[in-house]
Amino acid sequence: MGGRHLHLAPRLGPRLGSLLDSAGFLHMLTDALGSPLNVVVPDQIAENLERFRSVYRKHHLSGQVFYAHKSNRSSALLRRLAATDAGVDVASLGELQHALGAGFTPDRITATGPKNPEFLWLAARTGVTVSVDGESELDQLAALVRAHKLSPVRILLRLSGFETSGVKVLSRPSRFGTPVRELDALLKAVDRHADAVELTGVAYHLDTTSVAEKATALEGCLQALEECRSRGLRPRAVDIGGGFGVDYLAHGEQWERYTTELTAAVLGRRTPLTRGGHGYGLRNEAGTLRGALGLYPAHRPVAGARYLDELLSQPAASLGGRPLAALLLEHLHDLYTEPGRALLDQCGITVAKVLEVRSPDTGAELLVRLALKANDVALEEHGVLMDPVVIPRNGTGTGADTGQEPVAVHLFGSLCLETDMITRRTVFLPRRPAPGDLMVFANTAGYAMDFHATRAQLQPVARQAAVWRDGDAWRWCLDDQYWPITLPGEPH
Ligand SMILES: *Cc1c(COP(=O)(O)O)cnc(C)c1O
């Protein structure tokens, strides 16, 4: 490819790779179900779970992996996971109902996040574990339990504001959880409500990629558990939340090169790489680079289960410098994790049909309009930069086959809005796309697929299909028709 073209090729595992090679199948699905279309791969989530489990085994740790439901609404993914031994972490009344209906028993469910009274009641009534955000929520929960004469509810205490050796607050401020310095008051409340709740552990969730920050929080939780024990409470679990991340790109060098060139573009040292010179947080102030790159680190060699492994191997500074995993094991603590994005790695794609390809004045980027809205594939919203893959209508392959040149394009959505851009980035494609071609955004299952989807302008949200391999063929059904059962002649 020409030197001025910057590619960010998506990382494709065997399942997504095979799916993207199945041009006829994807065209058939999109013709039948419309564009945009979300396709999920339930068997992949079970494989990802197994990777997390193997890290638990490596460190001889017991506990549970709770899938953070909020990262995708799919029934198929949830039901596939219900057929494993995983748990699920729900953050709304609807998610709790969905999980119960998918086959998760209450002992496999934790309820986190902001809770309205209905959510809290159903959680207490069914006996799921409630991750309590603070004292007022605890009071509310205890009152519910007493008023409805329910059995005591298992609770985790969500903590925040961890520090290392009193020097510097290493964990960022959060609107969730109780600051550890208020633990004393919270534990008094637990005592007060001893008839209504049973403390089973402490929790945190930090929205950060920093291992050091998370290690500090985990250490803080171990100390909090000691404090509980010294008061005669017997919690066992440490819930370390999610945020294990995904490696989105196939080639690390492409990411390095892209970010370097983006910086050069912001400084005016090369042709712009974005529409309107957008800098993704970087700006040029009289020749000096200012701001900070507000992008997801799309190339993350240590992500998912490997990130968990790295975190567990961190030394606990205030606890003798021994690895966190060794301390968890020694105290027989259960380790709870709540991966969302990481469990959904390689679990789905978003497919859009190309509607129009327009050439502006010579030299400028082609304008490509797709049958999808920016919110239907919210990679840009999450700062994930990754090239789409074009699947031609006519079945011909790459530019080499057709004799066409690589092109630079800007991708627009179907809303009547200047701002409905799928990405502000100039995307370089191996050949000029044509109306009727499909553009596939890979690895969108985590947050990019349905979290932001709307019915703006009465345009439909994407239909969702679940697919699985059957020998050499791909098979499919609508997402809500999928159940992880094997019928004669219909292997899942
Ligand atoms: C969102 C969330 C998660 C999942 O985060 P990921 O980054 O998707 O792994 C886990 N726990 C809680 C409490 C959350 O709010």
Side-chain angles (χ1 to χ4, degrees):
M1 222 70 31
R4 73 185 187 90
H5 288 114
L6 293 170
H7 294 278
L8 292 172
R11 206 184 102 251
L12 298 174
R15 284 195 182 85
L16 288 196
S18 153
L19 191 56
L20 291 189
D21 283 341
S22 310
F25 179 68
L26 291 177
H27 274 286
M28 181 273 290
L29 274 186
T30 317
D31 287 344
L33 301 175
S35 170
L37 175 68
N38 290 324
V39 180
V40 295
V41 190
D43 289 334
Q44 185 69 43
I45 200 170
E47 190 176 314
N48 295 348
L49 169 71
E50 194 42 45
R51 298 222 170 103
F52 272 84
R53 287 273 186 240
S54 73
V55 174
Y56 277 67
R57 282 196 297 272
K58 174 180 166 186
H59 296 282
H60 310 287
L61 294 174
S62 57
Q64 181 58 295
V65 179
F66 296 89
Y67 162 55
H69 188 333
K70 77 165 188 279
S71 48
N72 196 296
R73 288 187 222 164
S74 160
S75 295
L77 293 171
L78 192 67
R79 291 171 186 167
R80 182 64 187 83
L81 210 57
T84 71
D85 59 0
V88 61
D89 170 55
V90 296
S92 71
L93 176 68
E95 287 182 4
L96 175 54
Q97 292 175 295
H98 197 198
L100 291 166
F104 286 92
T105 44
D107 57 310
R108 295 167 67 194
I109 304 177
T110 53
T112 59
K115 299 171 198 74
N116 62 21
E118 299 81 8
F119 180 26
L120 204 55
W121 181 82
L122 190 62
R125 174 67 271 188
T126 53
V128 311
T129 296
V130 175
S131 184
V132 171
D133 206 55
E135 199 175 327
S136 66
E137 191 174 281
L138 184 54
D139 291 343
Q140 208 189 339
L141 177 63
L144 262 177
V145 169
R146 290 184 196 116
H148 296 273
K149 299 187 168 48
L150 303 175
S151 309
V153 171
R154 283 188 292 266
I155 59 164
L156 302 168
L157 299 177
R158 180 156 171 189
L159 304 175
S160 61
F162 302 95
E163 311 180 8
T164 33
S165 31
V167 199
K168 184 169 148 218
V169 179
L170 254 177
S171 74
R172 65 199 54 209
S174 168
R175 63 177 266 227
F176 299 114
T178 302
V180 272
R181 69 188 125 74
E182 295 166 24
L183 182 63
D184 180 58
L186 191 58
L187 290 179
K188 284 185 178 134
V190 171
D191 264 342
R192 209 164 58 234
H193 295 308
D195 60 314
V197 299
E198 180 199 344
L199 180 65
T200 59
V202 296
Y204 73 83
H205 168 73
L206 294 176
D207 193 12
T208 173
T209 58
S210 160
V211 177
E213 250 180 86
K214 288 192 177 150
T216 299
L218 178 43
E219 219 176 303
C221 282
L222 291 173
Q223 286 164 351
L225 285 177
E226 281 312 302
E227 177 62 29
C228 294
R229 292 187 157 258
S230 74
R231 294 168 179 237
L233 296 162
R234 289 283 169 266
R236 281 181 49 140
V238 187
D239 182 336
I240 65 171
F244 303 97
V246 161
D247 182 9
Y248 284 99
L249 298 181
H251 311 292
E253 326 78 78
Q254 289 187 345
W255 177 244
E256 297 308 322
R257 180 153 171 249
Y258 183 84
T259 46
T260 306
E261 294 290 320
L262 179 67
T263 305
V266 168
L267 289 172
R269 295 185 188 142
R270 60 153 291 149
T271 50
L273 283 171
T274 53
R275 189 166 173 91
H278 180 72
Y280 288 110
L282 299 175
R283 47 182 207 280
N284 179 354
E285 279 180 17
T288 304
L289 192 69
R290 299 266 190 235
L293 197 58
L295 288 174
Y296 189 87
H299 174 60
R300 296 186 63 176
V302 180
R306 293 183 60 195
Y307 184 101
L308 173 63
D309 190 17
E310 176 160 305
L311 174 61
L312 291 173
S313 307
Q314 297 294 303
S318 66
L319 299 166
R322 310 201 17 243
L324 288 164
L327 293 170
L328 286 165
L329 180 62
E330 189 173 295
H331 291 96
L332 299 177
H333 291 319
D334 287 330
L335 178 70
Y336 291 178
T337 50
E338 299 170 351
R341 189 189 296 268
L343 268 192
L344 293 177
D345 185 23
Q346 302 286 320
C347 283
I349 60 174
T350 299
V351 187
K353 200 163 271 192
V354 175
L355 294 178
E356 182 188 8
V357 181
R358 230 197 268 187
S359 320
D361 27 341
T362 7
E365 293 82 3
L366 296 177
L367 306 182
V368 175
R369 182 162 57 91
L370 300 173
L372 109 157
K373 309 179 288 305
N375 284 336
D376 291 324
V377 57
L379 290 168
E380 177 89 2
E381 168 86 24
H382 287 262
V384 176
L385 302 188
M386 180 169 52
D387 291 345
V389 177
V390 178
I391 303 191
R393 177 90 206 168
N394 59 20
T396 53
T398 59
D401 299 334
T402 57
Q404 290 188 52
E405 292 293 302
V407 290
V409 307
H410 283 154
L411 297 177
F412 288 89
S414 56
L415 286 183
C416 195
L417 268 187
E418 287 287 357
T419 50
D420 192 35
M421 291 199 71
I422 307 309
T423 172
R424 287 172 284 203
R425 194 167 65 90
T426 303
V427 173
F428 301 97
L429 298 175
R431 64 184 276 279
R432 183 190 170 108
D437 289 353
L438 297 180
M439 219 169 254
V440 178
F441 299 86
N443 219 350
T444 52
Y447 301 102
M449 193 172 264
D450 58 33
F451 197 89
H452 301 271
T454 67
R455 291 182 192 279
Q457 277 185 240
L458 295 182
Q459 297 196 25
V461 295
R463 284 202 176 84
Q464 196 153 32
V467 300
W468 63 95
R469 286 293 284 190
D470 179 11
D472 287 340
W474 279 100
R475 298 202 177 276
W476 73 280
C477 67
L478 288 173
D479 181 76
D480 62 7
Q481 298 293 313
Y482 178 96
W483 287 94
I485 48 179
T486 306
L487 299 175
E490 289 184 8
H492 269 187

